[in-house]
Amino acid sequence: MSPLLQTRGLSRSFGGLRAVDSVDFSLNEGEIRAIIGPNGAGKTTFVSLVCGRIAPSAGTILFEGVDVTRLPAHQRVKRGIAYTFQITSIFANLSVFDNVALAAQRRLIDHAERGGSRFSPADLRRGVASALERVGLADRAEQAAGKLAYGHQRLLEVAMGLALEPRLLILDEPTQGLSDAEIDGFIALVRDIARTATVLLIEHNMPVVMALADRITVMNNGAVLAEGTPAEIRADSAVQHAYLGTPDDD
């Protein structure tokens, strides 16, 4: 079975800095994969290359076996790649419902343009309600998004990603700002998401990583340092030296 996502020699330079350095990466469908690493390791730059927010200096990105290296971000969304940002990117003046509705409407329009049935307002409402229910924000649907606590804004962004019904959902620091109770709920949420989508997350909360990830990719200085199961990564001396034994801040 071919990987859902694959990169070959993927690189990105900013002036003299090589933020991502010839990364070969493979992600299978249905997997929960975590990317970890110290400050400046290139994690966010790597996933930004995957989702099309920035263009690579070299290398190739394949999604479902198709070369998407030069596709713009919105075309990758249509193909099933959704990305939540490290810094929230909600529409603060719109309601929680309307934020998710924008994402759900995009998916429904794309489906109709590909020859699917036209959607009704009821279809849109159902899609929004389902996404909000999954992240625990159904009771805040009418609240202005900018009035949410920061942790709830993070969950709203996840709901916006879910409303796209992606094949691949990329989460960048999703537990940042969440309380311990909310983190427990988030772990359950990701396991639920993984029943229908592949999940790629950047995360510094190591208990979350160890609880969720099928495999972990460790990046350092823009390159892949190690890759393996949580037990293998925990026991890797190079990883311990570069990351696990030092304060993590990104």
Side-chain angles (χ1 to χ4, degrees):
M1 183 179 65
S2 60
L4 177 68
L5 173 71
Q6 189 173 19
T7 71
R8 299 171 180 165
L10 194 63
S11 300
R12 173 67 194 204
S13 297
F14 297 98
L17 172 66
R18 202 165 178 85
V20 174
D21 190 3
S22 299
V23 171
D24 294 333
F25 178 85
S26 183
L27 177 65
N28 291 326
E29 189 163 8
E31 188 177 349
I32 301 175
R33 176 72 66 87
I35 300 179
I36 67 172
N39 182 39
K43 306 179 299 293
T44 293
T45 302
F46 174 73
V47 297
S48 294
L49 291 167
V50 168
C51 72
R53 292 183 66 212
I54 59 176
S57 304
T60 304
I61 304 166
L62 302 174
F63 186 68
E64 295 187 295
V66 177
D67 189 339
V68 298
T69 310
R70 301 303 167 190
L71 283 184
H74 71 276
Q75 291 291 342
R76 299 190 202 191
V77 170
K78 287 185 177 182
R79 288 181 176 271
I81 300 175
Y83 175 59
T84 70
F85 297 89
Q86 186 176 19
I87 301 172
T88 55
S89 59
I90 60 172
F91 298 96
N93 293 326
L94 296 181
S95 70
V96 167
F97 182 96
D98 286 345
N99 268 268
V100 181
L102 289 172
Q105 181 173 272
R106 172 188 281 184
R107 173 182 59 80
L108 291 166
I109 290 172
D110 288 346
H111 177 70
E113 288 178 347
R114 291 194 300 267
S117 58
R118 298 186 63 175
F119 69 92
S120 68
D123 294 327
L124 182 62
R125 287 194 297 272
R126 279 193 295 271
V128 174
S130 175
L132 289 177
E133 184 69 33
R134 290 178 78 180
V135 303
L137 293 179
D139 61 343
R140 300 174 186 270
E142 301 307 317
Q143 186 173 344
K147 299 295 185 181
L148 292 175
Y150 182 75
H152 287 158
Q153 291 183 16
R154 303 290 296 170
L155 292 173
L156 172 57
E157 199 177 36
V158 174
M160 293 165 69
L162 290 175
L164 293 168
E165 295 188 359
R167 299 287 308 284
L168 171 62
L169 179 61
I170 302 173
L171 304 171
D172 194 348
E173 300 288 359
T175 66
Q176 184 176 313
L178 299 186
S179 68
D180 289 344
E182 289 169 336
I183 287 174
D184 290 340
F186 173 80
I187 290 172
L189 171 63
V190 172
R191 287 175 176 156
D192 177 64
I193 293 170
R195 294 188 296 110
T196 57
T198 303
V199 178
L200 176 63
L201 72 153
I202 297 173
E203 182 56 64
H204 271 125
N205 186 319
M206 292 310 298
V208 170
V209 170
M210 294 300 176
L212 280 176
D214 299 311
R215 291 179 65 80
I216 298 170
T217 299
V218 185
M219 293 188 68
N220 193 35
N221 296 323
V224 173
L225 174 66
E227 199 165 77
T229 65
E232 289 168 340
I233 293 302
R234 190 183 287 113
D236 190 302
S237 59
V239 175
Q240 291 173 4
H241 177 73
Y243 182 55
L244 294 181
T246 61
D248 40 319
D249 176 29
D250 195 10

